[in-house]
Amino acid sequence: MTPRTTVAGVPVDTRHYIDGQRIASARTFADVSPVDGRPLGEIARGTAAEADAAVAAATAAFPGWAATARAERARVLRAIADGVDKRLEDLALVETHDNGALLRSHRRGVMPRVAHNFRFFADRLLSLGQEDFTTRGHTNHVSWDPAGPCALITPWNAPLMLATWKIAPALAAGNTVVLKPAEWSPLTASLLADVAAGAGLPPGVLNVVQGYGSEAGAALAGHPDVRRISFTGSVATARTITAAAAAHLTPTSLELGGKSPLLVFADADLDLAVDLAVEQYDNAGQVCLAATRLLVDERIAQEFTRRFTERAASLVQGDPREESTDIGPVVHARQLARIDGFVRRALASGARAVIGGGPHTALGGLYYRPTLLTDVAQDSEIVQEEVFGPVLTLQTFRTQEEAVALANDTRFGLAATVVTGDRERADRVTAQLVAGTVWVNCFFVRDLRAPFGGSRLSGVGREGGTWSFDFYCDVKNTVTAPGGWRDHG
């Protein structure tokens, strides 16, 4: 196995990173770019042996890192953020080639957010705490103790940003980490290991094990020495992880799929509504939060559809490295086939494609045309199941009550978007929606101080702000009786 590859001129080590060392595996797997189908490298394929070694390294490093003063942990996290800033262009280029998302988005939004994740949780660590309180004269003192080694299993659609959303609070809390990145987009995790080492993070505090979920991921999920598991991905994989974690009652945080609604009322700013709807094609629709179900008041549905069609027609689909591109490829041939299967079955069942409806044959490769389907039944597969591609459905409603009922009528509850010009209506509707996040007249406004997670099959638990520390720590309350102290003077 060649231990390094070069992507867009950037050298990337393709081995695991365990206890501060690069470790090869007996087997590898191919990483292929969705941009042009070119091989990016042969990646070390971890198994239970590598997972065990990484957990052992994290376990050995835990006491020292946990005992490190908060100010020093925060300093190291800020140094990692500085390292991300210095390598922002490298990280953006590699991730675009690895998962096909827009280079301009990586440069302007995603990689700056990666650095912000570390800085935010460094700051949050230093402000973590609450005032003591008394109970019948007894003092209650709440503390957040590091839990131990954490297994973080992350997805391919925003690899580095979503990984650091977990890594940063876990490290800030005083824990050690074993990261298992998605096999379809593992490269920036390897670069992050280099950045962390350069920032002075001690060996064993951050480990990266590459490989398949059924091998490396399964070994981490069922490991008896792992104290926390955080996973972002599919419901099916979450069931496997939680079953393995149950053997040791390992606390698990899950951010899973979505089938989020976008409700457009007749009093809405229609141009805003159309802009928000078209925005759901971002990252070729490979966004868990995407509002893929457009629910539109029947009185404005025809005009909404006309404007939406015109607006969507202006989107530029093509090479994600080009500044003018709005929609790039999907991540993998299996994902393209999955998306197309959903659409074909919907069309066969009577749905109508207003736009799109299949792969972009002129571009070839992994490009799927932005698609809007109408004439879909509420209980149909295309309405009920997550597609995770550039595919939206449009349904109409007559009343506010019907809109809410349609919005809540899935197994998911990750997010929802409401577009209305009536503040009282917004308050009434948002109070009734089942969702972890609700946006009103906006979309994808995220603040790390806010809780994030889903309801129903969209997840278990909340992370962000103090909620992250609540998960990554053993929260302790110490109750002390008044008086009775000996004088040692």
Side-chain angles (χ1 to χ4, degrees):
M1 168 187 172
T2 302
R4 298 183 77 84
T5 188
T6 301
V7 178
V10 181
V12 184
D13 202 304
T14 56
R15 297 171 292 180
H16 312 290
Y17 183 76
I18 300 174
D19 203 16
Q21 303 294 320
R22 289 293 178 173
I23 306 296
S25 288
R27 293 185 296 171
T28 64
F29 63 93
D31 185 24
V32 177
S33 175
V35 177
D36 51 20
R38 294 181 182 179
L40 295 177
E42 289 292 323
I43 313 301
R45 180 174 168 178
T47 62
E50 288 83 1
D52 287 346
V55 174
T59 301
F62 172 66
W65 183 245
T68 301
R70 285 188 179 188
E72 176 60 13
R73 294 204 303 263
R75 185 197 66 78
V76 174
L77 262 64
R78 292 193 188 99
I80 295 174
D82 292 342
V84 170
D85 285 340
K86 290 176 183 177
R87 299 206 62 184
L88 188 147
E89 183 67 12
D90 289 349
L91 293 165
L93 285 167
V94 170
E95 190 140 299
T96 289
H97 283 81
D98 206 13
N99 85 329
L102 300 185
L103 180 57
R104 74 177 192 221
S105 295
H106 283 140
R107 283 171 170 161
R108 299 173 190 173
V110 176
M111 296 310 161
R113 174 60 181 269
V114 167
H116 176 63
N117 285 344
F118 285 104
R119 292 194 177 99
F120 172 87
F121 284 106
D123 293 343
R124 196 73 173 187
L125 170 64
L126 297 181
S127 64
L128 184 65
Q130 67 178 55
E131 292 183 4
D132 293 349
F133 56 95
T134 59
T135 305
R136 299 189 300 276
H138 295 65
T139 301
N140 293 262
H141 175 74
V142 178
S143 58
W144 284 260
D145 296 347
C150 300
L152 310 180
I153 303 172
T154 54
W156 44 258
N157 59 319
L160 194 58
M161 194 277 286
L162 291 177
T164 57
W165 158 255
K166 303 175 187 295
I167 293 169
L171 295 182
N175 298 321
T176 51
V177 165
V178 180
L179 172 67
K180 208 297 282 184
E183 59 267 27
W184 287 352
S185 55
L187 297 180
T188 48
S190 181
L191 292 178
L192 179 66
D194 295 336
V195 170
L201 191 69
V205 176
L206 172 64
N207 307 274
V208 180
V209 176
Q210 300 154 153
Y212 297 128
S214 59
E215 297 173 347
L220 291 172
H223 203 290
D225 295 331
V226 166
R227 295 291 177 260
R228 294 290 187 274
I229 299 170
S230 181
F231 169 71
T232 299
S234 72
V235 173
T237 302
R239 289 193 172 108
T240 301
I241 288 172
T242 53
H248 308 289
L249 296 181
T250 308
T252 304
S253 177
L254 305 171
E255 194 264 282
L256 308 177
K259 197 67 182 176
S260 302
L262 190 156
L263 294 78
V264 182
F265 290 93
D267 54 19
D269 178 332
L270 206 51
D271 288 332
L272 171 64
V274 167
D275 285 345
L276 293 175
V278 172
E279 191 177 346
Q280 308 311 310
Y281 291 131
D282 182 50
N283 199 20
Q286 300 168 126
V287 178
C288 58
L289 293 163
T292 56
R293 295 184 295 133
L294 309 182
L295 306 178
V296 184
D297 190 304
E298 66 178 11
R299 291 170 291 179
I300 59 169
Q302 184 174 355
E303 179 63 15
F304 174 89
T305 304
R306 184 187 69 79
R307 295 193 197 186
F308 178 93
T309 303
E310 291 179 355
R311 176 73 178 81
S314 69
L315 296 173
V316 176
Q317 189 166 22
D319 191 326
R321 297 167 295 187
E322 298 295 331
E323 182 72 15
S324 60
T325 299
D326 298 308
I327 302 178
V330 299
V331 70
H332 194 276
R334 277 167 45 193
Q335 186 65 13
L336 183 79
R338 183 178 187 275
I339 295 165
D340 196 42
F342 271 108
V343 173
R344 287 180 180 274
R345 291 190 295 274
L347 294 174
S349 298
R352 180 174 68 90
V354 178
I355 60 172
H360 199 309
T361 54
L363 292 175
L366 301 181
Y367 294 87
Y368 202 88
R369 290 184 292 162
T371 296
L372 176 66
L373 301 177
T374 60
D375 301 334
V376 292
Q378 178 63 22
D379 62 354
S380 64
E381 177 192 55
I382 197 68
V383 170
Q384 293 293 326
E385 299 298 329
E386 184 177 45
V387 178
F388 221 62
V391 179
L392 309 180
T393 60
L394 190 151
Q395 299 166 270
T396 61
F397 61 83
R398 293 183 178 181
T399 66
Q400 176 182 299
E401 291 71 25
E402 183 184 6
V404 171
L406 290 171
N408 287 339
D409 186 21
T410 74
R411 300 178 300 156
F412 298 99
L414 187 56
T417 302
V418 177
V419 192
T420 178
D422 185 331
R423 178 59 182 267
E424 292 183 358
R425 183 198 301 278
D427 291 342
R428 290 194 304 270
V429 171
T430 57
Q432 298 176 68
L433 292 174
V434 178
T437 301
V438 180
W439 287 287
V440 179
N441 295 334
C442 60
F443 177 68
F444 214 46
V445 178
R446 291 280 303 277
D447 192 312
L448 286 178
R449 293 172 294 182
F452 180 74
S455 304
R456 296 176 175 169
L457 289 190
S458 287
V460 175
R462 296 292 184 270
E463 294 187 43
T466 303
W467 291 272
S468 285
F469 288 98
D470 288 344
F471 173 70
Y472 288 108
C473 293
D474 290 324
V475 183
K476 178 193 295 179
N477 185 43
T478 301
V479 184
T480 305
W485 302 110
R486 294 180 181 177
D487 185 357
H488 294 284

